[in-house]
Amino acid sequence: MRAVMPGNPAKACSRGGYDQPVRYPVVLDQNDDGSWTVTCPVLPGCVSEGDTRTAALHSIRDAIRLYLRAVKKELAAQRRKGKQIAQVAA
């Protein structure tokens, strides 16, 4: 099965990884104390913070990686239970 990532249809999934990093939209909100809260709307519950905008962006990058790692583990658990897992292009 071949999966294509949205926004870059020429890049296909190969051996479980992607040729190019996927870019996720994030929303930055500066708090009253000057710190930043960042959310990733396409990954529900994926939220991070930082004292600076740059720190917040680094932090959300790590949060996204951890989120995706958890999703990968959950998919593996579903596969072990006999469920079929597929990928689709959108």
Side-chain angles (χ1 to χ4, degrees):
M1 173 175 288
R2 185 174 159 214
V4 179
M5 294 307 300
N8 194 353
K11 296 294 180 182
C13 179
S14 62
R15 293 179 10 160
Y18 293 101
D19 296 333
Q20 294 287 322
V22 177
R23 294 186 175 272
Y24 294 91
V26 296
V27 177
L28 295 111
D29 185 31
Q30 191 166 22
N31 302 312
D32 292 338
D33 65 358
S35 66
W36 293 82
T37 300
V38 190
T39 58
C40 184
V42 299
L43 302 175
C46 190
V47 179
S48 196
E49 297 179 317
D51 290 335
T52 66
R53 185 178 187 276
T54 300
L57 288 170
H58 285 289
S59 184
I60 195 69
R61 184 179 299 120
D62 291 339
I64 290 169
R65 288 178 181 150
L66 290 170
Y67 187 105
L68 295 175
R69 187 178 302 154
V71 168
K72 185 177 178 181
K73 286 181 182 180
E74 176 59 25
L75 290 174
Q78 293 297 322
R79 190 175 288 117
R80 285 191 300 276
K81 293 178 182 177
K83 307 277 175 127
Q84 294 185 10
I85 307 298
Q87 297 178 353
V88 298

